[in-house]
Amino acid sequence: MASISKLSASAFASSATSFTRSSQQQQQQNQPMCFAYPRKRIAIFEKSISSSKLSVRAGQRIAGSLIVRCSKVDGNGSSVKRTTLHDLYEKEGQSPWYDNLCRPVTDLIPLIESGIFQKAISTSSAYNDQFKQLVQSGVDIKMSYWELVVKDIQDACKLFESIYDDSDGGDGYVSVEVSPLLADDTETTIQAAKLLHKKVNRRNVYIKIPATAPCIPSIKEVIANGISVNVTLIFSLARYEAVIDAYLDGLEASGLNDLSRVTSVASFFVSRVDSLVDKLLEKIGTPEALDLRGKAANAQAALAFQLYQKKFSGPRWEALVKKGAKKQRLLWASTSVKNPAYPDTLYVAPLVGPDTVSTMPDQALLAFIDHGTVARTIDANVSEAEGIYNALEKLGIDWGYVGSQLELEGVDSFKKSFNSLLDSMQEKANSMKLVNM
């Protein structure tokens, strides 16, 4: 296999991390519990962190309006502070993940999203020493980026390794994404995923791959090679089913007798669906159409959960379970409310269900902590979800178009951010008077 250092940077990834911790284990081990509270934005380096209990942190600087600390458990085993997030995990089995925590790279768990890393590399001195060494040694800008990313991911994986072990491979993961420039390239995505996994060389890393049609075979092949995958940019039921099948096919093709260490999550995007469908409904303009605004996304998500339950049951799945296989968890992404007229927990409260993950940015997370109600809602009224889904079709909403258009926009956005990131790094190098390209 070729050395990573000799490959084009397009074979790698813009990075994003997912950090998970089991609250049940915290209780069993009498460790601190987590809570969140508002705090002024004070950091210059933003990260994307996810945790089933949010990550345990003490006195760390973060970007955004949230800081997560620990409330100590007293001698009687009672915690000083609890939130609805504890109940969400312990009672309903849903893992709340939080995005956009941050740190100076030497302080805490590094995770770099493309657009955010751009800000850091151009305004922060945290990476200057390593970046200067890379450029002075002749490493180009793209590969310098990958070297910086890989080091961050390795450090984060190390910090969460004990959580991974304590949870038997269920939590404690860090995700790093293959380059969005490869979204239409099956074979190069496969090679990029393999090489990135080898370069990071950590048991608890997720390789993130987009759910584009060309990358569905990539997902299968990467899983078959025993590499855990975070599948992103899922916008339709049809594509979600293809993602599940790719996971199952990959497990079956792996030839492994023990499948317990090959895991996956499927990131199903929510609010963006309403953003597009609402515009289409407003063009139709009838009272029936306007009444369906703000309902498409959650209806489709509820049906996705039904599909999840169906696919991860029956003889085929049970045969894999005997080899230690774990379900590919359904993850709700894009849960922030885009329309201010909608409730601030619209894409969180109705999507509570077991074995799922809900990613919550600041607004949604703080709102749910403040006035969210913990109850299993994802399959509380499946017939209503089916009715909404079918009613939208009858009005002329093409679900295939919705999925493909949102995917196109998502991939394009990722590509622009990635290219902008590289431009920013070049500017940083120029400002340091290291290169003149």
Side-chain angles (χ1 to χ4, degrees), residues 40-46 61-64 102-104 119:
K40 181 179 179 182
R41 178 187 298 265
I42 60 174
I44 57 177
F45 201 96
E46 295 186 2
R61 292 180 289 169
I62 70 164
C102 85
R103 54 81 188 140
K119 176 181 177 182

Side-chain angles (χ1 to χ4, degrees), residues 11-18 48-50 97 99 111-114 146 174-180 182-183 189 192-194 196-197 205-211 215 218-219 222 227-233 263-267 269 331 333 359 414:
F12 290 102
S14 60
S15 72
T17 61
S18 297
S48 184
I49 292 180
S50 320
W97 287 8
D99 292 333
L111 168 65
I112 308 150
E113 284 185 338
S114 52
W146 290 115
V174 184
S175 295
V176 56
E177 183 181 357
V178 297
S179 171
L182 305 180
T189 293
K194 290 180 180 179
L196 186 55
H197 182 264
V205 66
Y206 265 141
I207 303 302
K208 185 181 287 188
I209 299 174
C215 284
S218 307
I219 295 166
V222 173
I227 299 172
S228 295
V229 176
N230 179 342
V231 184
T232 190
L233 293 179
T263 65
S264 181
V265 292
S267 300
F269 282 60
L331 181 153
T359 54
F414 281 15

